[in-house]
DNA sequence: GCTTGACTTAGAGTTGACTCTAAGTTGTAG
DNA sequence: CTACAACTTAGAGTCAACTCTAAGTCAAGC
């Protein structure tokens, strides 16, 4: 598929896709006869994985390191696993923290709702 | 307390504290005889709340809007409550999404751990 | 055969949230 | 009474992650 189609499916702008290629997140993208990028399922799966890492707070630099290891082949699978494990642990902590924040927010909202009730009945 | 002490307690750098004052997140901060900022429990509670909103992904611009409403007094409490409710809902969605991502990450880790096991036994 | 619109590139500009610099003032310790 | 650390300000610089611009190429429809 061309960059437009790929952009629609991945929900990344063509700009962002080229940017990801420029910084090395996307590599060895095929080109058609007129020099336009040609994407396949392979890129789709990889980009979805990049998005997962990014959306859970991993910086692009770290994702880049993962991409480097990935390119080196199977000998780096243990390293990659360790990266993911460390990241998963951080994510678990982050979720726990957010759940705590959420509870505090709900308490504040409860406080407001009582306040507003008082105003209405005044 | 002075800015140094306030910085230690809030875990924000003096730079950041001044920045927050400059953009209007912190207002009406008292000064001592020599013109230095003087913080109290009131600022502490407010800054902790700011941090909660920020740490759950609310942009400073939105927190600023909240600060504006807060300054207008009790008549805006319903609006503020609605802001918090909307934010809490988004946070709940975000947590759910992150939990989904976490599960997918764990599946990938599981996949790697099998791969690594194969390599070790090879 | 010419316009239109999608593609290409290198590189500049933007945004959010800081973070630092320079130049100056003040309060305390030696 | 002087050195020194902490404070003050306005404004410049940084960083991540885009996002856009300019200048150019190319295939398809009229």
């Amino acid at each position: 598929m061309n960059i437009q189609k790929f952009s629609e499916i991945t929900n990344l702008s063509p700009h962002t896709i080229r940017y990801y290629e420029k910084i090395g997140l996307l590599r060895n993208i095929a080109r058609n006869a007129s020099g336009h990028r040609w994407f396949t399922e392979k890129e789709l799966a990889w980009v979805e994985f990049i998005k997962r890492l990014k959306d859970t707070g991993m910086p692009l630099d770290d994702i880049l390191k993962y991409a480097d290891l990935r390119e080196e082949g199977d000998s780096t699978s243990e390293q990659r696993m360790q990266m993911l494990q460390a990241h998963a642990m951080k994510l678990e902590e982050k979720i726990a923290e957010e759940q705590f924040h959420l509870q505090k927010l709900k308490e504040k909202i409860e406080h407001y709702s009582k306040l507003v009730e008082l105003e209405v009945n005044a």
Side-chain angles (χ1 to χ4, degrees), chain A residues 1-18 39 44 47-48 51:
Chain A
M1 72 191 84
N2 64 7
I3 201 168
Q4 194 53 49
K5 193 79 205 300
F6 193 67
S7 161
E8 278 158 28
I9 295 179
T10 60
N11 226 6
L12 297 172
S13 75
H15 277 310
T16 303
I17 294 164
R18 291 190 200 102
F39 299 88
L44 210 49
V47 140
E48 292 305 331
K51 281 173 68 186

Side-chain angles (χ1 to χ4, degrees), chain A residues 52-88:
Chain A
R52 190 182 312 293
L53 294 179
K54 197 176 71 67
D55 288 351
T56 51
M58 188 184 279
L60 295 191
D61 262 17
D62 289 5
I63 305 179
L64 251 169
K65 270 179 215 138
Y66 188 95
D68 288 343
L69 291 172
R70 191 165 167 270
E71 190 155 25
E72 278 187 61
D74 284 354
S75 66
T76 66
S77 44
E78 187 157 7
Q79 256 177 288
R80 274 179 278 160
M81 183 179 74
Q82 280 164 6
M83 273 190 80
L84 293 192
Q85 271 171 339
H87 183 59

